[in-house]
Amino acid sequence: MKKKILAVVVALAAFVGLFASQPVQKQSIQAAKTTKTAKKTTKKKATKKAKAKQISVTYTLKDTTKAKNKQTLAKKTFKVKKGTTVFTVLKKAWKVNYTKSSYGVFITKIKGLGNEKKKLYWTYTVDGKMAKVAADKQKLTKNKSKVVFTLKKY
């Protein structure tokens, strides 16, 4: 009789143990699904932030030395990381000759145009405002900015 009671108790314990472990497994599966969803959401947010940090900038090269009107030589639009310098993008777009000083870079030629002997120099504006610093110091922070480099005689 004791053996029968012991067998019933063991069977009952095994039965309870079997069903008691089932909800735990479901919870761990649910937790794994929640973790995957959270990772996907975090990844999407990171991608959106990366895209939000990208800005569009249009560069235009103009030559005022040959024609009465400002002659547009080239125009390109770039997607760049917010905070990139004007000079960094310029170097990616065209061949640039420059000298360095304690104030920053001094651009002598873009696309082979410029002549110190003839006093032909490049100046630039960002969104219509004349730059107050060298191109390697000027950061691009506004989306859809317009950077215009103009070759002038001084």
Side-chain angles (χ1 to χ4, degrees):
M1 175 98 166
K2 286 184 182 182
K3 287 184 180 180
K4 285 184 179 179
I5 293 175
L6 183 61
V8 170
V9 169
V10 168
L12 190 60
F15 183 73
V16 169
L18 179 66
F19 285 105
S21 67
Q22 290 296 333
V24 172
Q25 288 176 351
K26 285 183 181 179
Q27 287 175 352
S28 63
I29 291 170
Q30 184 62 35
K33 286 181 181 178
T34 304
T35 303
K36 279 185 178 179
T37 304
K39 284 181 181 178
K40 284 181 183 177
T41 303
T42 304
K43 206 175 209 180
K44 285 180 183 178
K45 285 181 181 177
T47 304
K48 283 183 181 179
K49 281 185 179 181
K51 286 182 181 177
K53 290 182 182 179
Q54 291 280 319
I55 58 173
S56 177
V57 182
T58 301
Y59 275 62
T60 305
L61 300 181
K62 292 187 176 186
D63 183 354
T64 61
T65 62
K66 295 180 181 177
K68 291 180 182 177
N69 297 330
K70 293 181 181 179
Q71 181 185 6
T72 300
L73 302 172
K75 190 173 192 174
K76 292 183 181 181
T77 300
F78 302 92
K79 291 266 186 202
V80 299
K81 185 178 176 183
K82 189 175 183 178
T84 302
T85 66
V86 167
F87 187 62
T88 300
V89 180
L90 180 68
K91 287 192 311 184
K92 287 180 182 178
W94 298 285
K95 185 175 190 266
V96 180
N97 295 42
Y98 60 94
T99 58
K100 291 184 179 180
S101 75
S102 59
Y103 298 107
V105 296
F106 178 72
I107 298 165
T108 55
K109 291 184 180 182
I110 302 174
K111 289 181 64 173
L113 299 171
N115 190 330
E116 291 182 70
K117 290 179 183 175
K118 293 184 179 179
K119 297 185 180 181
L120 299 176
Y121 298 103
W122 287 97
T123 61
Y124 77 97
T125 61
V126 178
D127 296 325
K129 296 179 183 175
M130 184 63 81
K132 295 180 181 177
V133 295
D136 63 329
K137 308 285 186 205
Q138 180 68 51
K139 294 188 179 197
L140 298 165
T141 57
K142 184 180 162 193
N143 191 33
K144 297 184 180 179
S145 285
K146 292 180 181 4
V147 179
V148 179
F149 277 86
T150 306
L151 184 62
K152 294 182 179 183
K153 185 171 183 160
Y154 287 92

